[in-house]
Amino acid sequence: MESVLLYAFSAAALTGALLVLIARHPMRVALALIATMLSLACIYALLGVHVIAVFQVLIYVGAVMVFMVFVIMLLDTRDPSFVNRYSRLLVPGVLVATLLAAGLGHALARHYVAGPVSTSPADFRLQPFSAGFLREYWLHFELTSVLLIAAVVAAVAVIQGRGGRDG
Amino acid sequence: MDRTQFLLALSVALFALGLVGVIIRRNALVMLMCMELMVNGVILSLVTFAARTATASGAVLALLVFVVAAAEIAIAIPIVLLLVRQRQTLDVGAYARLKG
């Protein structure tokens, strides 16, 4: 049952990723990407890593993609990039990515060591995870807050940094 | 093919599809979303290894990548807004002023 669900959500994630490449309007691209992210969150939950599954939904779908959808609605003009979806790099881009995927897939097939798979999801419940997180990785946690503040300041500076000359 | 190998193959596929999207699409916002797809592929591999070894480090690293991706989007979208304000288009082919 679990592996059937795993394959089903993987197929859903791949379908969403293909739709991201194919869809014409950015709003449809965003919806396909949201479907991919939700399928990935289900895969994380199936793996027993519930913390990451929750954060995938909260941060990615809840914050990043909602932000993206608002920006798409803000910029919804008739744009030439809606008509011509693909640039001139269509064939070389597909070739390069196919080569990359073939190389990585070859390495995965050749050098993969089927080690013992641990099946103790106890480490990933919220309480031990957060206790370990804040005991061992508190410095990284604090550094992410510095990074987020820097990003917010930089975003404000990018929009208003030209002395307010263009609004 | 066991579960870990299958999920790693899925993450390779997501990363490659995101790379294709960044290269071939013309719309700047769609390119950003394809970059998010690439980050999602990487996070899938991190979580897969974390679940295989049952250590919390991979999950912590995935959490930090979430934060970095959020910061990236927070800084990339204002840049796109600024570009659109200058040229009135989302087509990245119009931004060729640096071409020699």
Side-chain angles (χ1 to χ4, degrees), chain B residues 1 7 10 14-15 35 51 59-60 63 67 83 86:
Chain B
M1 183 182 264
L7 286 176
L10 177 64
L14 288 181
F15 187 87
M35 280 163 64
V60 170
L63 209 60
V67 178
L83 287 174
Q86 280 190 349

Side-chain angles (χ1 to χ4, degrees), chain B residues 81-98:
Chain B
L81 285 178
L82 207 63
L83 287 174
V84 172
R85 205 191 276 167
Q86 280 190 349
R87 291 285 173 90
Q88 309 296 330
T89 178
L90 279 167
D91 191 347
V92 290
Y95 303 106
R97 219 162 55 179
L98 284 181

Side-chain angles (χ1 to χ4, degrees), chain B residues 14-55:
Chain B
L14 288 181
F15 187 87
L17 284 173
L19 182 65
V20 171
V22 172
I23 296 175
I24 69 174
R25 294 297 297 245
R26 296 179 81 103
N27 192 307
L29 285 172
V30 175
M31 287 170 75
L32 279 181
M33 285 190 264
C34 291
M35 280 163 64
E36 293 302 310
L37 191 60
M38 291 169 77
V39 175
N40 267 286
V42 174
I43 292 174
L44 176 62
S45 74
L46 284 176
V47 172
T48 305
F49 281 120
R52 174 176 160 168
T53 56
T55 50

Side-chain angles (χ1 to χ4, degrees), chain A residues 7 10 20-21 23 37 52 55-56 60 71 79 81-82 84-87 97 108 112-113 115 118 123 137 144 154, chain B residues 2-6 20-21 24-27 36 39-40 50 52 54 57 59 63-64 66 69 75 77 89-90:
Chain A
Y7 289 130
S10 306
V20 166
L21 292 189
M37 288 171 174
I52 299 297
F55 277 113
Q56 170 95 359
Y60 258 123
V71 172
D79 200 80
S81 62
F82 292 2
N84 294 321
R85 277 171 291 179
Y86 303 125
S87 68
L108 190 62
Y112 177 72
V113 182
S118 169
D123 285 346
Y137 301 99
T144 56
Chain B
D2 64 357
R3 197 181 68 176
T4 309
Q5 199 175 10
F6 172 72
V20 171
I24 69 174
R25 294 297 297 245
R26 296 179 81 103
N27 192 307
E36 293 302 310
V39 175
N40 267 286
R52 174 176 160 168
S57 321
L63 209 60
L64 298 183
F66 278 144
I75 191 70
I77 288 202
T89 178
L90 279 167

